[in-house]
Amino acid sequence: MSFDDFVRDAKTQDAASKCAESIGLAANELSKLDPALDREFPALQLSLAYRSRNKLSHGYYAIELDIVWATVTVSIAQTVAAARLAKRQYERADGGTS
């Protein structure tokens, strides 16, 4: 889907926004479980994900579609890659028992 298609498709906009909100909520839960994660793995951008979630959830009609588009096409893929790396590092540090 192109950005222009995205702009014309309200259903996809809503779905992408809700997915991004869910990721931001999960990021906050991770931060609660281990507050050091954001500091130890800055590429996860947990705080930014949660702030973005709040903006999406409470922004009402002020949501900027170009930011949602960049989030779902670029930022989420970067976060997934960072999460995989963090998981491998965490498992090595834990002796692979997690």
Side-chain angles (χ1 to χ4, degrees):
M1 171 177 273
S2 70
F3 177 70
D4 290 335
D5 293 335
F6 179 73
V7 169
R8 289 189 295 269
D9 188 346
K11 190 185 315 183
T12 300
Q13 293 166 22
D14 288 344
S17 295
K18 293 300 176 196
C19 287
E21 285 179 44
S22 294
I23 290 168
L25 192 57
N28 188 52
E29 293 302 315
L30 281 173
S31 291
K32 287 180 190 176
L33 289 172
D34 187 350
L37 282 175
D38 211 19
R39 185 182 65 254
E40 292 174 15
F41 303 104
L44 287 174
Q45 299 187 24
L46 298 176
S47 297
L48 177 60
Y50 187 60
R51 286 193 314 271
S52 296
R53 177 256 175 214
N54 288 340
K55 174 103 171 136
L56 286 168
S57 293
H58 306 294
Y60 306 105
Y61 298 103
I63 294 171
E64 297 177 40
L65 292 179
D66 57 330
I67 294 173
V68 175
W69 175 256
T71 299
V72 299
T73 60
V74 177
S75 299
I76 290 174
Q78 291 172 341
T79 300
V80 168
R84 287 183 176 141
L85 178 62
K87 182 178 184 282
R88 285 194 301 274
Q89 291 175 351
Y90 187 80
E91 287 172 343
R92 275 195 298 260
D94 194 36
T97 59
S98 306

